[in-house]
Amino acid sequence: MTRQSKLANIGFSRIGGMAAMGFAAMITLSNVMMVPAGLPLTGAEIGKVTEFFAEEGTAVGIGSALAPAAWILATLFGAGALVALRTSERDRGEAWSLLGLAGLALQNVTFAGVIATRLALTSTAPHDPSATMALWALHDAVFTLNGTFLALALLGLSVGGLRTGVIRPWHGTLGLLAAALQFSSAALAHWVIGNGGALGLLGLAGWLLWVVWIVAYGITLIRHSPGTPVRRSPSGQTSAAPA
């Protein structure tokens, strides 16, 4: 079998599944690099922020170096999920998968702002306290509001996956719960940034569920057969027929 035929047999949805696993690995590795080094939480005191970004430039640099690959993998995952869901959705005139892909694209753009702000902080922290304070306030705001786009991705691909029968009910429920937590954190951004505490846990809990959700989605797409027929239930919903 030639290399081209092997790639053709993989199927794009399976490529998206592998990309999801890679994305989860990238963001986990980035946090493993930065959190133990002392990455300040949302709403942290400016003294802790200044100390971290003045002394841990290498950790920030390594974490930032992983981000571009993570964004590419997230987009590939969204496109792979779109391939798996779109045919069935088109028959019903729905576009949940497109909504999910849009959410992933928007979170990529928004998080690029977060990474850019962190890199700027490594330059201002050693010698410009006023600029550091302003940049950290911007970082917290963009970081928290990014939950809106994560919620959009979770909503679109969870509902789309449930409607087409590609994902299981528990998986869809997990995604919708994570979406609710992420959206709540974004909607309460003013208080999350100002107070942190219990409100800050909304975004953290939603992020942890998001990582579990995307790993489970990746496994589902890897196992998904591009030629799997879809059966329609009497209620009008569809589900994947066993291969």
Side-chain angles (χ1 to χ4, degrees), residues 41-44 140 143-144 181-182 184-186 188-208:
L41 299 176
T42 301
D140 278 358
F143 182 84
T144 307
L181 291 170
Q182 288 286 344
S184 297
S185 178
L188 298 172
H190 174 74
W191 295 275
V192 171
I193 295 169
N195 302 317
L199 287 178
L201 295 177
L202 287 174
L204 176 60
W207 185 84
L208 291 172

Side-chain angles (χ1 to χ4, degrees), residues 114-209:
V114 172
I115 297 298
T117 306
R118 288 177 180 175
L119 290 172
L121 281 163
T122 61
S123 297
T124 63
H127 54 77
D128 194 339
S130 60
T132 299
M133 186 177 297
L135 283 171
W136 182 247
L138 177 63
H139 170 278
D140 278 358
V142 176
F143 182 84
T144 307
L145 292 173
N146 183 54
T148 307
F149 307 119
L150 288 178
L152 189 64
L154 286 157
L155 174 66
L157 295 181
S158 293
V159 174
L162 288 171
R163 293 278 293 165
T164 58
V166 170
I167 66 174
R168 296 180 181 275
W170 70 264
H171 189 187
T173 301
L174 180 72
L176 294 176
L177 176 59
L181 291 170
Q182 288 286 344
F183 183 78
S184 297
S185 178
L188 298 172
H190 174 74
W191 295 275
V192 171
I193 295 169
N195 302 317
L199 287 178
L201 295 177
L202 287 174
L204 176 60
W207 185 84
L208 291 172
L209 293 180

